[in-house]
Amino acid sequence: MKLYFYAALAALISALSFGVYYYHDKYSDKAKDLEAAERKQQQAETIAGNVIQSMRIFNAIIRANADEKQQIQWRSENAVVYIRKKLSTDECAIWPVSDDVVSKLREHAERIRNVTRRADLR
């Protein structure tokens, strides 16, 4: 009877040992999978953050270009108004253009050339 008891006890301990080993191995695999998933998630978050930062920079550049274009257009319109006002009292076809108008036209043309050079850097 003692022999059956010890045999049953040994079988029970063996079964429990196997169960502990089996489930510990599964737990280790799941822990490794979880760590790998967390690393992938961190990498994805880093990449997404970089993409968002790049888009912010791109949008800032676009906004700055749009503002610069608006400034150029505003200066052009002001130059046109100034020139028309100056020339409205002159007989354009007969008299030469005044020096300050020529100066303004040259400044405006130079400004347009400079902006074009900066924008087209190939």
Side-chain angles (χ1 to χ4, degrees), residues 87 90-97:
L87 293 178
D90 287 345
E91 298 173 12
C92 304
I94 299 173
W95 303 101
V97 178

Side-chain angles (χ1 to χ4, degrees), residues 73-115:
Q73 184 176 0
W74 179 78
R75 286 186 201 125
S76 297
E77 289 172 1
N78 283 347
V80 167
V81 168
Y82 176 78
I83 292 167
R84 282 189 181 155
K85 186 185 282 185
K86 271 300 207 183
L87 293 178
S88 67
T89 58
D90 287 345
E91 298 173 12
C92 304
I94 299 173
W95 303 101
V97 178
S98 62
D99 291 337
D100 57 341
V101 173
V102 171
S103 170
K104 275 287 196 185
L105 281 171
R106 286 186 180 147
E107 287 174 15
H108 183 66
E110 187 60 33
R111 198 172 19 244
I112 290 173
R113 277 191 219 106
N114 288 337
V115 170

Side-chain angles (χ1 to χ4, degrees), residues 29-89:
D29 289 344
K30 294 294 180 184
K32 288 177 186 174
D33 291 345
L34 180 62
E35 287 176 12
E38 286 175 348
R39 271 193 311 263
K40 285 182 181 178
Q41 179 187 3
Q42 288 174 348
Q43 289 173 346
E45 287 174 357
T46 302
I47 290 170
N50 289 342
V51 168
I52 289 170
Q53 184 66 21
S54 297
M55 291 304 295
R56 284 185 183 143
I57 291 169
F58 185 70
N59 286 339
I61 291 169
I62 289 173
R63 199 173 315 117
N65 283 339
D67 291 344
E68 184 68 23
K69 283 182 182 179
Q70 190 175 14
Q71 284 292 325
I72 290 169
Q73 184 176 0
W74 179 78
R75 286 186 201 125
S76 297
E77 289 172 1
N78 283 347
V80 167
V81 168
Y82 176 78
I83 292 167
R84 282 189 181 155
K85 186 185 282 185
K86 271 300 207 183
L87 293 178
S88 67
T89 58

